[in-house]
Amino acid sequence: MGFAEELRSSCAADWDAAVGHEFVDRLLGGSLPDSVLRHYLVQDYQFCDAFVALLGQAVASGPSLSSRLVFAGVLGAFAADENSYFRDCFDELSVPQADRNGPELTKATRDFDGLMRRALETRSYPDVLAVLLVAEWLYGDWAARAGDEESWPAAAKHREWIRLHNNPAYNGWVTWLREEFDAVAPTDAATLLRVTETFKDAVRLERAFFDSAMESPTPA
Amino acid sequence: MGFAEELRSSCAADWDAAVGHEFVDRLLGGSLPDSVLRHYLVQDYQFCDAFVALLGQAVASGPSLSSRLVFAGVLGAFAADENSYFRDCFDELSVPQADRNGPELTKATRDFDGLMRRALETRSYPDVLAVLLVAEWLYGDWAARAGDEESWPAAAKHREWIRLHNNPAYNGWVTWLREEFDAVAPTDAATLLRVTETFKDAVRLERAFFDSAMESPTPA
């Protein structure tokens, strides 16, 4: 068992609770209330800045040009796409500009943003990877529950969020992240402890983020 | 006069010597010996790793998502292009694999690589920008000497190196870098001194890199 799988197993309760969350059930079933989706996406969108910064730190702290270029490609796709899914959904759900760019952040959002910025500050490749890996792998896991595309919900606001985390390129990226993380598993006790805590915190906060989404003001 | 223009003026002798270098004269005139071009490109290619890392640090250290995304786009183009100019030239000039991936580095190459890695270590956005700006602006300046495309040299190995540094997207990127650098001009004396020295060192080392290219083993 690699380092990534070992850490995931060590926090299986939070991991499984996130992947099997009611939020995901309702998203996959097409019954997620718009008020919940709106609140969730508005909060999730606030991670863009720290997430892009983390990808940049991975380019800067990576061990080789070939590793750096993987993150460079992901950053390029991010820059090119201009968050079209978010923009389309915000338009469809009539999200005012103020809520897109500067909403009041929930505790779950502040906590996850803080975790990303602490990982950024370490400049440590395993710490940066731990956060990126949890975010991407866990999302890949819940999106994999969607199964064949025929069984996906009909509305674009639901199915495109699934597609973003369930497609061959995304799956390849998650696999690469996991192998990269395994390859740089820390050998000194202090770093190992810190990276392990970072990984576990990230999983716990992913679960809390779904919890928070379901507790949004008017969940209908 | 902005900070960028002020610093450029303060080291005009090195700047002008690089932009008006015999290497550039012969490149633009199509008379650059293959042995010189080969040596120059083999050494220049060794900067890819530190340069990509610096772009990543700019993403990580940038002041806003919009700034981060500019560098993300440049990184994406870098990842997508896979250095096709270098590969094509290396093939045409019969550069063996060992010289592409692990040549003996000249002092000029080691010095510039060291400068980039020191800027990376600072994590300071103005320091990172200073090196990127000099590298890109100075190259834009010499390539601008090529004038209209009709007057460019005929061989792809010469004209494509000009085109990479003389096209609307490249010019826009250099202008953006200059304005970004002006906007983050340091106000405290210590940082101002360090960034100024970094800028000047970069210009001096760009000139030294062209000098070194003309002193290559068999300049013909």
Side-chain angles (χ1 to χ4, degrees):
Chain A
M1 190 188 290
F3 184 46
E5 197 58 69
E6 194 183 299
L7 289 190
R8 199 202 62 77
S9 297
S10 75
C11 48
D14 280 336
W15 188 282
D16 295 344
V19 170
H21 204 279
E22 181 193 357
F23 178 94
V24 179
D25 293 343
R26 300 194 68 172
L27 173 71
L28 302 186
S31 68
L32 192 70
D34 277 358
S35 61
V36 174
L37 180 64
R38 179 198 292 123
H39 178 74
Y40 166 84
L41 290 178
V42 162
Q43 295 293 316
D44 196 71
Y45 189 61
Q46 308 312 311
F47 295 135
C48 286
D49 184 62
F51 191 77
V52 167
L54 263 187
L55 288 168
Q57 193 60 55
V59 172
S61 299
S64 66
L65 182 59
S66 63
S67 289
R68 300 190 205 282
L69 288 177
V70 173
F71 296 105
V74 173
L75 281 166
F78 205 95
D81 183 68
E82 291 177 4
N83 295 304
S84 55
Y85 169 76
F86 282 99
R87 198 184 50 237
D88 292 349
C89 277
F90 288 160
D91 289 348
E92 183 180 341
L93 301 171
S94 305
V95 175
Q97 211 58 44
D99 280 351
R100 303 181 189 198
N101 298 329
E104 189 174 341
L105 303 182
T106 64
K107 180 175 186 308
T109 306
R110 290 196 305 273
D111 286 351
F112 205 92
D113 190 78
L115 177 76
M116 288 197 277
R117 295 189 194 275
R118 282 194 302 281
L120 196 57
E121 284 305 309
T122 66
R123 304 184 74 185
S124 147
Y125 191 57
D127 286 79
V128 167
L129 273 183
V131 179
L132 293 173
L133 174 59
V134 168
E136 302 294 64
W137 187 9
L138 193 149
Y139 266 54
D141 262 16
W142 73 246
R145 289 182 52 205
D148 287 342
E149 195 168 336
E150 303 91 84
S151 61
W152 293 7
K157 61 192 172 190
H158 300 140
R159 59 190 299 125
E160 294 311 315
W161 192 235
I162 296 168
R163 192 191 313 281
L164 281 168
H165 305 100
N166 181 343
N167 64 72
Y170 186 83
N171 298 339
W173 155 238
V174 172
T175 299
W176 182 87
L177 276 174
R178 200 162 46 225
E179 292 170 354
E180 186 81 352
F181 189 65
D182 284 346
V184 297
T187 48
D188 70 292
T191 311
L192 180 62
L193 181 66
R194 194 185 63 220
V195 172
T196 299
E197 287 308 307
T198 299
F199 188 100
K200 288 183 176 181
D201 280 350
V203 176
R204 183 176 55 78
L205 293 173
E206 288 288 3
R207 176 184 184 174
F209 192 73
F210 280 141
D211 286 346
S212 178
M214 294 308 294
E215 291 158 6
S216 59
T218 50
Chain B
M1 190 188 291
F3 184 47
E5 196 58 70
E6 194 183 299
L7 288 190
R8 199 201 62 77
S9 297
S10 75
C11 47
D14 280 335
W15 188 281
D16 296 343
V19 170
H21 203 280
E22 182 193 355
F23 178 94
V24 179
D25 293 343
R26 300 195 68 173
L27 174 71
L28 302 185
S31 68
L32 192 69
D34 277 356
S35 61
V36 174
L37 180 64
R38 179 198 293 125
H39 178 74
Y40 165 84
L41 290 178
V42 162
Q43 295 293 316
D44 195 72
Y45 189 61
Q46 308 313 311
F47 294 136
C48 286
D49 183 63
F51 191 76
V52 167
L54 263 187
L55 288 168
Q57 193 60 56
V59 172
S61 299
S64 66
L65 182 58
S66 63
S67 289
R68 299 189 207 281
L69 288 178
V70 173
F71 296 105
V74 173
L75 280 166
F78 206 94
D81 182 67
E82 292 178 4
N83 295 304
S84 55
Y85 169 77
F86 282 99
R87 198 183 52 236
D88 292 349
C89 276
F90 287 160
D91 288 347
E92 182 180 342
L93 300 172
S94 305
V95 175
Q97 211 59 43
D99 279 351
R100 304 181 189 198
N101 298 329
E104 191 175 338
L105 303 182
T106 64
K107 181 175 185 308
T109 306
R110 289 196 307 272
D111 287 351
F112 204 93
D113 189 78
L115 177 76
M116 288 197 278
R117 294 188 194 275
R118 281 194 301 281
L120 196 57
E121 284 305 310
T122 67
R123 302 185 75 185
S124 148
Y125 191 57
D127 286 80
V128 167
L129 272 183
V131 178
L132 292 174
L133 174 60
V134 167
E136 301 294 64
W137 188 8
L138 193 149
Y139 266 54
D141 262 15
W142 74 245
R145 289 182 52 205
D148 290 340
E149 194 167 338
E150 305 91 83
S151 62
W152 292 6
K157 62 192 171 192
H158 299 141
R159 60 190 299 126
E160 294 311 316
W161 192 236
I162 296 168
R163 193 190 313 280
L164 280 169
H165 304 100
N166 181 342
N167 64 72
Y170 186 84
N171 298 340
W173 154 239
V174 172
T175 299
W176 183 86
L177 276 173
R178 199 161 47 224
E179 291 170 353
E180 186 82 351
F181 188 66
D182 284 345
V184 297
T187 48
D188 71 292
T191 311
L192 181 63
L193 182 65
R194 193 184 64 220
V195 171
T196 300
E197 287 308 309
T198 299
F199 188 102
K200 289 184 176 181
D201 280 351
V203 176
R204 182 175 57 77
L205 292 174
E206 288 286 4
R207 176 184 185 175
F209 192 73
F210 280 142
D211 286 346
S212 178
M214 294 307 294
E215 291 158 5
S216 58
T218 48

